[in-house]
Each structure stands twice: as structure tokens, then as C-alpha cells.
Amino acid sequence: MAEEESVKVAVRMRLFNNREKTANSTRIIRMTQEDHGSKTIIVNPESGKENTFSFDYSFQSHSETEQGIGEYATQDTVFNLLGKPTLYGALEGRNVCLFAYGQTGAGKSFSMLGKADPKELQGIIPRSCLEIFRLRDSEKDDPLIQYKISIQVVEIYCEMINDLLEVRSKWPPNGHKPRLTKDGYVVDTVTRPCSTYTDIEQAFTIADKNRSVGSHALNPESSRAHTIYTINYMRQKRANAEAKNAETISAKINLVDLAGSERSESAGTTGQMLKEGNAINLSLTALGSTIKALSEGKRPNFRDSKLTLLLQGSMTNGKVIMIAAVSPASICYDESMSTLRFAERIKMVKIKAKKNVTLDPVAEIKKEMEEMRKAMQDEIDRLKAASEGKTLPTSEEAQRLAKLLEEQLESENQLKEDFARRLADFEKGYDEGEDKAAREAMDAEWRNELGVDLLKKVDSVEEPHLRNLNEDSRLAETLFYAFKVGATKVGRSNKDDPPDIEFNGMGIQRNHCIVNWNKASGTVELVNAAGASTTVNGKKVTGKVPLVHNNRVWLGNNYAFRFVFPGQEAKGEKFDAPPDYLFAEAEITDSASGLPSTLGHQLSEALKKVEQANIIAADLTKPVSFQPKIIKNRVNDDDNVVVQARMPHGLFVWPWEKFNTRLVEMVKTWQLWQAAADRGETFAEPPGDSPFEDTEPQLIGEADMWMLCLGNMIENKTDASLLAPIGEPEGKVHLELKPLDKNGNEGPWDDEDDDLDPFVDSSEMLLNQKISFKVNILKVVFDVDLNNGAACKYEDVWVRYKLDITDPTEKWSNTDPCKGDSFSPAFNFSKTHTIFCDQDFIDALPNKRIVCQVWGKLKQQKLPVCAVPRSAPTQVASPGKRTVDELIEAIEFLKNGVPQLPKGWKVTAGYRAPSGELTLKRPK
């Protein structure tokens, strides 16, 4: 009988990282152990307000010596309290799902995987596997007991399921398609048989190397992939040597390392207005919705994402445990709060977990198959009856039922195939020789793919070589690329002139560079090809550059390495610890130097990602370009990184979160383009919204109306300057702030109504009183942009405002949109507000403002244009021997599409006089 229990939830806080130390962060989290469960307390670094959360376990791994923050938890502590109960639940025949959640860099992978050496730092996954084999070895002398253990490792990236135990050249272009089984959805990926723990270790190594290759090819978005380690466990015990049947215990152990859960900045002055639910990662959003539905006793839609589809079996019939990783740093308060709230919600979920134990597996499968057939047929009959009935309300309902019927029939076929497959496996029995042959074949395939011994340790390489760098410390220095004596050619795949070391990621060109190793002199020199993007120690390489031990090398957009020269360490750069990815990333741009550490890190990341987006756009011949900018966030006065997107019909400012969302889709499109190119096929962009186009409303700018006038209850009429997010003027906003009397009327007040006039001599006279006022938004007047052909850039303009832009709970007040385009869209909007004047309000009045945001769509422009040389942008091209009529014809042609222009010419706005003369200057 199934047992119902709540999801177990643990929280773990880690040490400060280098970025947090450099930013002089303070610790804002502490933990306490209770008689039942534990508490995690987080303090808002600005207000000092405490928030307390209750969980099953709270692991303090921040400091062994600091008092009053909770007992220190080691990897042993986490495994004994969390990992072992999970494991033994699986060994009893229950499906298990253990997943780690939290922002990027919060310590999820350390809890789940840990470090290979020393053994004390191993995480839950390797320790669980070791324990399984320890128990198996304790029964290895019993001939009546047989174990069958295997592992699968998949990643979910951009809603594509990829097999990390399969060579990447065999990956389906659109990922693996899940199929239905009796225990939920699975994917037919490589299943590596494991007879010893070494086989498990090898699977980890293969998966890590595959992830490392992927992060090079796609960096940095590959860190946004979820990784699922599935251990398939089966133990069979016969009553005696002659018995045909055996007691069979089976379980699936899903260990999920989720991608980083990043928060979005609050909507407002950063210019962000993402659609509700449009998170950076669809899978995390779907997982949150699934957990919310389960906690409320509702039926979730597991089909919303590939992640929830694969976890359906574990989350509805199994034991579920979550470990939430948080940073204790003050600069990560918002991210940590988001993680803790998510963890608090998931602990309310209750799941029934039944044991998968049977005495006759074959008979049990046949029985399940018959029950499934009957249940599926009943559902199909019901759907048929509904779709053929006369009581259907609409044709849409009929279509919906027909689609459900089709899905049900497909599910029935998939379940039949699953039962047949399982039945064949049981009747065939276990053959250890076949498993060994399968493992050896996999290893051979990987040696051919990587060109090196799969399990060779990087520290055993004797030649000078490059070691990969990765922000995930577990993936760092898992790959090596050794140089041969003489010249080693590095570059993209080339059948005519194959490189010695092949990279096919973004920014890599054919014959990218050559590395010369002179063994006699003990020197290595890199010779860069013309136009190839190569950086050594943060400096672009234009010709030759010597390489010494510990140099940081970037090839293309994403390939980051540390150069290692065995035997020549003394001649190299000296560091207390080998330079890592963050060190290499920080030095690739001089722009980040001198900035606060957090902003410098953001800008450094932005430069890499923007370069990646520009490479993708160039590869796909998209007429767009991107550039990072730093703007002031007027909500909290912080500096924020945004991205300018230049498109044929205008210049857009994308908040960082929106750019990241678009970049994920760009990378996905680029992958499809690359796969088509590798197959020699013409690429067709998938239908739907393109990440290279933007038809969403844009934040045109903001205008302020100061509220100081309310201190005397007098009106304020202002033509407030409208400033774009990057600080450029866009026009004026005509605003009014009018005080109201006690009857809700506005002035002017005559002498006989003097007692109604709300005027006061001092704001202190308003203390502890309610006041009312009107906010009137009359119109917006846009500046005329001569570079835009004096045409209006925006359409469907509307305005919204908040009385307190820093209050996330206050709802925006919105005008209706002014349809069409106009240089002076009118709104004649009016809204009455009533507020209570406490001392805080009175004190804040001198600096208090209403922030009005103007939004609109950038309209598709068809402007009169003329061509001018790039070298002379302020001069109109001389017509020469061309007639005015020919120029007019060219202008009309350019309205409908820009042709290829001669070298040195470009398209610009212009004015045509009645005589036909063209000029850039506006006529007076």
C-alpha cells in the first residue's frame, strides 16, 4: 500500500566566494536546530527585517568557528541526514527524486557531486553509489542474489533533452523525445551497465567531459542546463537454486542538479516589462507551477516542460527530497529570499510512494499490461463518446477532445511497447558478459570522439597542453589538448586541411592558429591567423605570442583555457593557486577595471554574451547588432548593465534579463543552423517569434513630477523632461498635480470658499491627516529626430506611474494607449489618490517624486533616404552625372528594401527640395 508523506526539504548555506569577499559582503543568514526540524533566518541588509523559514534540515556550511549561526555541517553530515534515508528508501523499492535548487554558484553541485578528491568532499551522488555497491559486495558470495545496476545521464537545455553518455555527433538535432512507461515518461538514452563503482565513476567522467565540451561550444548559456543522473537499481533473490521466480526489488533514483534560478530585477526604471511568467528558464517556471499545483491538491500539467515530464513518475509516486542552496552574502539577499520561498512552498507537497517489490516479475508485468489495456480502452471509449455526442458546446471543444483522444491512443501504444520491452528483458535474464562488452564499446567510441584516452588524468600529461576552464569548478580542467613537437594546427573542421585540434564553437575559424613547440629550446609560441579572435592574458593576439606556464588563453568567443607546460613551471607565471575561469574572465576586458567588483563581473559577463549574440547574428545573417551599456537604476541607485539592440527599424534597450532570455533562443537557433550546416542542408529558421526581432512595447523613457508642492497643498504644473533609459532626451511629458479639498474638489477657490482651500503654511500641519490630490497626465510631446527623417518613431503610446517607485507592492496606474503614431499623443488622464501623512511621509516630501514611464511600440519605418559615403557622414553625396529622377527612383526603391551599396556608401535620412535637390539639413 502506498504511504503518503511530505516532501523533505533541506537548506544549505555555503562559504563566501571571492566575488562576495571583494564586495565586502556581510553574512545575513543564520540557522538553528529545533526539537522537530530547523529554522533558517535571513536578514534584509537594508531594513534589518528578519524573515524566518522552517525546514526539515538547515545545514550551516559557512564557518566552523563562528558562533550563533548554527552547527557546522560537513559532507558527512549532509549525507547521513539526507542522503542515506533517501538511498535506503530506494533500496526498499521506492522511486526516489533528490534535486538541488538555488541561484548559480550557490553550491548545488557541491552538495550533489562534491569533489572527487579527497573522499571527504564527495557529494550525495557518489556516496550513494558507493553505498549501493558496498551493500552488493556484502552479498556477492550468495549465489541466490543477483544485482543489476545501470546509470543514465541527461541534460535539459533550451527544452531539448541531450544524452551526456553519448558522443555529441550522434545527438538528435532537436533532442530526444520522451516516451511513456508505467512509471512515467523516460527517454531512450545510453544506459551504461555498472558492475563496480569504477563504472559509475567513468560515467561521471564521460558526462563531465561532455558538459565541458558543450560549455565551450555554447558558453555561457550551457550553465543554464539541468542535469539528471538516473540510477536504475534491481535486486533479485531466489528462494532456492531450482526456483524459476525471484523476489525482485526495483527502483529509479533520480538525482537532479538544477540550473541556476536567477531572479529578475523589479519592473521599473531598468526598462523591464517582461510578460508574466516569462522566466529565463521555462523548466524552472514549470517546476514551480507543478509544485504549486501538487501542494494545493490539484492536477499539474507535467507536459509544460521536459523537466517536469521526466520527473512526473518520481513526483507522483516516489520519495522526493529537495536541498536548497543559498548564499549567505548580503549582495545575494534577493536571490536567497527567492530560493527560500520556493523551498517553503515545496515542503507543503504530499506524495504517495509505493514499493516496487514483486515475487513473479513476468506475471506482474502481464497483469499490469491487462489492467493498463482496460483502463486505456475505457478512456478512449469515453473520449470517442464525447467527441461524437450532440451535447458539445463548441467546435473548439470537439477539437480539444479529438486531440486528447489522439494523445491517449499514442500513450496506449507507448505503454504497450514498454511492457513488451520489460517482459523481454525479464525473460532474457542478466548477462554480465554483454554488459562488459557494452561498456568497452562505449569507451572505444569516446576515445575516437575525443582523440584521447577517456579516463586519462590531466596531471599525467607530459606534453605542453591546454586545460579547459569553466565557471563550474567540477567541469574545470577536465579536458586537455596536448601539442605535438613542431606545429599543431588549431581550428574549425576542414576536410581539405584537417586541424590537429578541432573546435567548432562560436568565433572559431578554419586555421584559427598554429602552436609551435620547440622541444630543444623548451619554448611554445602561438601564431594567430589574420582576423581570428584569440586572447592571451586578457590581450588580443594579432601575430605571434610566446606561451608560458599558467597563461590564460581564449579562442573564439567561448573557449577558455589555462596553458600548462610540464617541466617548465619555474619559467611561468606564479600564483598561489592556478588561475580559474573567473580570473580569466575578469581580465578579458579593460572596461571592467576600476569598477565595483559586482558591476565589473556583470560587465565582463555582458561583454562575453554580447559578443556571442553578435557572432550568432553574423552566422545567421541577421541585420542586428548588440552592445552592452551601464545605466543608473533609479529605484535603488545601483548601476545596471543593459544591452542596446540595433535593428533595421530602430534602437532598442533590453534589460539584462530580457537579453538573456533572447540569447537562450538565439543559441538554440544557432545549434539548429550548425546541425544543418554539418549535414550540408539549407537552414530554415523555425516558425514563431524570432529572438532577433522585437515587436513588444518598449520603455521609451521616464519623467519625474516632484511632490514637494503637497507640503503646502498647492498645485504643480510641469513639462517634465522625458529621458530614455540610457539618458538621452526623448521629449516632454505634460503633468499636473492638483490638491483637493475635503469635499474632493479642486480649485480655484473664491473668497467665500476660503475655508475649503486646502493650502497650509507648513507640511507639519498635515501630520497624521489624510490628504487627497489628483494626478493628471495630459500629453507627451516627442522631440523631432532629424536622423529619423523627421518621422514619428513610436505608436500606441501609453503612460504609467507609481507614487513610490521603490514600493514593489504598489500597482502601476496606467493610461489607455493612444492608438497610432503622433508626435504629441494626448491622454487627458486623471486619477485621485488619498494618502495618510505620517512623519515618514512628511520627512520624505522634499525628495519625493512620482515617476512616470512612457511606453510604446517602435513603428516600422519607411523613410526617404539617400546614400552617402561612410567616410563623410555629414555630407550629402554628390549626384555627379546621375539625374534627379534617377535619385528619386533610388529613394523609392530604398523605401521597400536597402540594396547592396558601393563601398564607402551608407543609408541615411535626407530632405528633397521641390527642385529635386537632396540635403541633410532641415529647411527653414
Side-chain angles (χ1 to χ4, degrees):
M1 184 175 177
E3 303 170 4
E4 186 176 73
E5 61 178 41
S6 299
V7 173
K8 296 290 184 184
V9 178
V11 175
R12 190 178 192 185
M13 73 166 169
R14 58 157 172 78
L15 295 163
F16 285 147
N17 61 26
N18 289 333
R19 182 171 67 91
E20 292 161 349
K21 290 177 181 177
T22 306
N24 296 318
S25 294
T26 57
R27 179 189 50 77
I28 57 171
I29 295 178
R30 68 181 190 276
M31 296 170 167
T32 63
Q33 301 302 318
E34 307 293 315
D35 292 337
H36 298 285
S38 66
K39 288 185 178 179
T40 296
I41 302 99
I42 182 170
V43 182
N44 187 318
E46 294 184 1
S47 68
K49 180 183 177 182
E50 290 189 351
N51 288 279
T52 301
F53 298 87
S54 296
F55 300 109
D56 296 290
Y57 305 100
S58 293
F59 297 121
Q60 186 276 111
S61 300
H62 177 70
S63 172
E64 294 187 63
T65 57
E66 189 174 354
Q67 300 297 311
I69 64 172
E71 185 179 347
Y72 185 75
T74 64
Q75 294 285 68
D76 285 334
T77 309
V78 175
F79 180 67
N80 290 333
L81 292 177
L82 200 63
K84 272 190 177 180
T86 304
L87 174 63
Y88 281 98
L91 299 181
E92 292 174 355
R94 294 183 179 88
N95 291 335
V96 169
C97 180
L98 170 62
F99 62 93
Y101 182 86
Q103 71 180 103
T104 299
K108 301 183 302 297
S109 295
F110 181 71
S111 293
M112 296 294 281
L113 293 164
K115 296 183 179 295
D117 293 308
K119 300 297 183 184
E120 293 78 17
L121 295 182
Q122 287 184 334
I124 292 173
I125 294 176
R127 286 169 183 258
S128 298
C129 297
L130 277 168
E131 185 68 8
I132 289 174
F133 284 102
R134 186 190 68 78
L135 293 172
R136 191 210 62 170
D137 291 344
S138 68
E139 296 180 315
K140 66 180 180 180
D141 295 330
D142 190 336
L144 302 178
I145 297 177
Q146 189 176 62
Y147 282 80
K148 187 175 182 180
I149 301 165
S150 62
I151 186 171
Q152 295 169 278
V153 188
V154 300
E155 73 170 12
I156 301 173
Y157 174 65
C158 283
E159 281 302 286
M160 290 193 296
I161 302 173
N162 299 321
D163 185 358
L164 291 180
L165 297 185
E166 178 68 278
V167 293
R168 301 178 76 88
S169 58
K170 291 188 175 182
W171 284 7
N174 295 312
H176 289 271
K177 184 179 179 181
R179 62 174 176 83
L180 184 62
T181 71
K182 80 175 188 72
D183 294 321
Y185 284 86
V186 300
V187 284
D188 292 321
T189 56
V190 169
T191 301
R192 185 178 179 89
C194 302
S195 60
T196 66
Y197 177 69
T198 301
D199 296 327
I200 292 277
E201 278 191 314
Q202 290 176 357
F204 289 159
T205 301
I206 293 171
D208 286 347
K209 289 181 183 293
N210 219 344
R211 288 178 66 197
S212 298
V213 171
S215 67
H216 267 162
L218 299 175
N219 184 75
E221 295 309 311
S222 59
S223 64
R224 305 292 297 161
H226 311 296
T227 307
I228 304 177
Y229 301 80
T230 301
I231 299 171
N232 304 296
Y233 169 82
M234 181 186 294
R235 178 184 181 272
Q236 293 180 318
K237 182 177 182 179
R238 290 178 295 163
N240 53 63
E242 289 74 31
K244 292 184 178 180
N245 297 325
E247 179 191 59
T248 302
I249 300 174
S250 60
K252 282 185 178 292
I253 308 172
N254 283 318
L255 303 159
V256 187
D257 189 1
L258 292 175
S261 55
E262 313 303 346
R263 72 182 180 95
S264 295
E265 296 291 336
S266 59
T269 51
T270 58
Q272 176 186 356
M273 189 184 180
L274 301 181
K275 295 178 181 177
E276 192 169 333
N278 184 17
I280 291 176
N281 194 298
L282 171 65
S283 297
L284 290 178
T285 304
L287 180 62
S289 300
T290 298
I291 289 170
K292 185 176 185 294
L294 288 171
S295 66
E296 296 172 351
K298 299 177 181 177
R299 184 178 180 179
N301 186 0
F302 289 100
R303 292 177 178 269
D304 281 347
S305 81
K306 297 295 195 305
L307 176 67
T308 51
L309 203 61
L310 292 185
L311 296 183
Q312 178 180 353
S314 296
M315 297 185 71
T316 54
N317 174 28
K319 194 178 182 71
V320 178
I321 302 95
M322 188 188 86
I323 182 165
V326 295
S327 164
S330 52
I331 62 172
C332 297
Y333 169 76
D334 292 300
E335 290 88 345
S336 296
M337 273 294 291
S338 175
T339 299
L340 291 172
R341 288 194 183 107
F342 184 90
E344 185 178 46
R345 190 163 67 242
I346 194 177
K347 74 176 184 177
M348 296 185 290
V349 177
K350 293 184 180 294
I351 298 174
K352 291 182 178 180
K354 69 176 183 179
K355 293 183 180 180
N356 300 309
V357 181
T358 179
L359 296 177
D360 188 345
V362 174
E364 188 72 23
I365 290 174
K366 290 180 178 178
K367 180 182 175 182
E368 289 175 354
M369 195 170 181
E370 179 59 28
E371 291 175 349
M372 178 278 302
R373 188 200 64 76
K374 186 178 183 304
M376 298 289 283
Q377 189 60 51
D378 290 345
E379 181 68 10
I380 289 170
D381 291 343
R382 185 188 69 80
L383 290 171
K384 280 184 176 179
S387 61
E388 295 169 359
K390 298 180 180 180
T391 59
L392 293 177
T394 62
S395 60
E396 291 182 0
E397 179 69 6
Q399 292 175 1
R400 185 185 71 83
L401 288 170
K403 183 179 179 181
L404 286 174
L405 177 60
E406 183 181 345
E407 291 177 354
Q408 199 75 6
L409 287 168
E410 182 183 357
S411 297
E412 181 186 16
N413 292 330
Q414 290 181 349
L415 283 173
K416 285 180 179 178
E417 293 173 1
D418 175 58
F419 281 121
R421 186 184 293 108
R422 290 170 57 217
L423 189 61
D425 287 344
F426 273 114
E427 291 177 339
K428 178 183 177 183
Y430 175 62
D431 188 333
E432 189 172 347
E434 284 188 8
D435 283 356
K436 182 179 180 182
R439 287 194 300 272
E440 290 176 351
M442 291 178 198
D443 293 345
E445 190 171 35
W446 270 97
R447 279 193 295 272
N448 292 334
E449 179 80 3
L450 294 178
V452 295
D453 185 352
L454 179 66
L455 300 176
K456 186 174 182 179
K457 303 293 185 182
V458 292
D459 290 333
S460 65
V461 182
E462 297 178 353
E463 300 85 2
H465 59 277
L466 297 175
R467 295 185 186 179
N468 73 299
L469 298 179
N470 195 289
E471 192 166 5
D472 186 337
S473 60
R474 181 177 177 86
L475 302 183
E477 305 206 0
T478 56
L479 301 173
F480 65 89
Y481 303 90
F483 303 129
K484 61 185 181 181
V485 176
T488 301
K489 293 183 292 184
V490 181
R492 185 178 287 276
S493 174
N494 186 352
K495 293 181 180 179
D496 297 330
D497 185 14
D500 300 302
I501 299 176
E502 180 180 315
F503 299 128
N504 290 304
M506 295 176 190
I508 299 293
Q509 64 182 43
R510 292 183 175 182
N511 303 318
H512 193 93
C513 64
I514 295 175
V515 177
N516 296 313
W517 175 24
N518 188 323
K519 191 171 184 179
S521 63
T523 58
V524 174
E525 183 182 61
L526 185 149
V527 182
N528 201 48
S533 176
T534 302
T535 304
V536 175
N537 292 357
K539 297 180 179 179
K540 291 285 185 182
V541 178
T542 55
K544 300 178 181 179
V545 62
L547 296 180
V548 298
H549 184 73
N550 273 338
N551 278 170
R552 283 75 58 207
V553 180
W554 288 83
L555 301 177
N557 179 247
N558 307 319
Y559 291 84
F561 303 99
R562 179 171 73 95
F563 175 64
V564 178
F565 202 162
Q568 299 290 334
E569 291 86 352
K571 297 180 180 179
E573 294 186 73
K574 304 296 189 297
F575 295 95
D576 294 334
D580 59 9
Y581 179 88
L582 292 178
F583 183 93
E585 183 189 51
E587 66 181 358
I588 64 172
T589 171
D590 293 331
S591 303
S593 62
L595 294 173
S597 61
T598 303
L599 182 60
H601 176 77
Q602 289 177 352
L603 184 58
S604 181
E605 179 188 11
L607 288 166
K608 293 297 296 177
K609 288 190 174 185
V610 164
E611 183 181 2
Q612 182 182 21
N614 284 324
I615 290 173
I616 294 173
D619 282 347
L620 300 181
T621 62
K622 297 291 183 181
V624 298
S625 62
F626 304 94
Q627 183 179 5
K629 295 282 186 180
I630 297 176
I631 66 170
K632 183 70 70 175
N633 184 330
R634 299 171 70 214
V635 174
N636 52 27
D637 207 38
D638 288 343
D639 289 315
N640 290 144
V641 175
V642 298
V643 175
Q644 270 192 342
R646 186 175 295 277
M647 299 184 180
H649 61 288
L651 187 66
F652 297 81
V653 177
W654 287 354
W656 184 239
E657 294 78 19
K658 180 173 180 176
F659 171 73
N660 269 308
T661 303
R662 294 297 186 99
L663 182 58
V664 168
E665 295 303 315
M666 292 178 198
V667 169
K668 185 175 180 179
T669 304
W670 185 88
Q671 284 180 293
L672 297 174
W673 170 82
Q674 183 69 49
D678 292 341
R679 296 191 300 269
E681 299 173 358
T682 301
F683 173 68
E685 189 170 348
D689 295 336
S690 170
F692 302 98
E693 298 174 1
D694 195 346
T695 58
E696 297 175 357
Q698 308 292 320
L699 177 62
I700 299 171
E702 293 180 336
D704 294 338
M705 179 162 58
W706 296 95
M707 301 175 68
L708 180 61
C709 62
L710 293 179
N712 300 104
M713 291 298 285
I714 56 177
E715 70 176 14
N716 177 19
K717 293 183 179 181
T718 181
D719 294 338
S721 296
L722 178 64
L723 296 178
I726 57 175
E728 296 176 353
E730 287 283 353
K732 301 284 186 181
V733 184
H734 294 250
L735 304 168
E736 292 180 347
L737 187 61
K738 292 193 171 186
L740 304 179
D741 60 29
K742 60 185 180 181
N743 295 326
N745 299 318
E746 58 184 84
W749 292 271
D750 298 328
D751 291 340
E752 60 268 19
D753 297 327
D754 190 57
D755 59 326
L756 293 176
D757 191 341
F759 173 82
V760 292
D761 291 321
S762 169
S763 60
E764 294 297 329
M765 298 174 66
L766 301 174
L767 186 61
N768 296 326
Q769 295 184 35
K770 287 184 177 180
I771 62 171
S772 297
F773 56 90
K774 275 187 177 180
V775 174
N776 297 330
I777 301 175
L778 305 180
K779 63 179 179 179
V780 174
V781 178
F782 290 117
D783 290 341
V784 178
D785 185 359
L786 298 182
N787 291 325
N788 198 40
C792 185
K793 295 188 293 184
Y794 306 109
E795 61 184 359
D796 299 344
V797 175
W798 50 281
V799 182
R800 69 177 190 174
Y801 67 89
K802 278 187 177 186
L803 300 182
D804 185 357
I805 192 68
T806 64
D807 183 2
T809 63
E810 181 187 347
K811 294 183 178 180
W812 292 93
S813 297
N814 301 278
T815 71
D816 291 329
C818 181
K819 295 296 185 181
D821 63 326
S822 171
F823 277 111
S824 56
F827 305 99
N828 298 317
F829 169 91
S830 183
K831 184 174 180 179
T832 299
H833 298 271
T834 300
I835 58 177
F836 180 74
C837 298
D838 57 13
Q839 191 62 55
D840 290 340
F841 178 81
I842 299 297
D843 294 341
L845 260 182
N847 299 308
K848 203 167 183 62
R849 66 179 187 263
I850 298 174
V851 176
C852 296
Q853 295 186 341
V854 180
W855 291 79
K857 292 183 178 179
L858 204 63
K859 62 179 291 191
Q860 298 285 339
Q861 301 291 329
K862 285 190 176 182
L863 305 175
V865 291
C866 58
V868 302
R870 293 183 185 274
S871 58
T874 59
Q875 298 178 5
V876 178
S878 171
K881 296 182 180 180
R882 298 186 66 183
T883 66
V884 171
D885 288 339
E886 287 175 326
L887 280 175
I888 293 174
E889 290 176 4
I891 290 170
E892 292 298 320
F893 183 75
L894 288 176
K895 287 182 181 180
N896 301 311
V898 181
Q900 293 291 327
L901 298 175
K903 184 178 181 181
W905 290 66
K906 70 173 183 177
V907 175
T908 186
Y911 298 92
R912 178 165 57 88
S915 63
E917 181 184 359
L918 295 176
T919 178
L920 285 176
K921 293 183 178 180
R922 184 181 182 184
K924 296 181 179 180

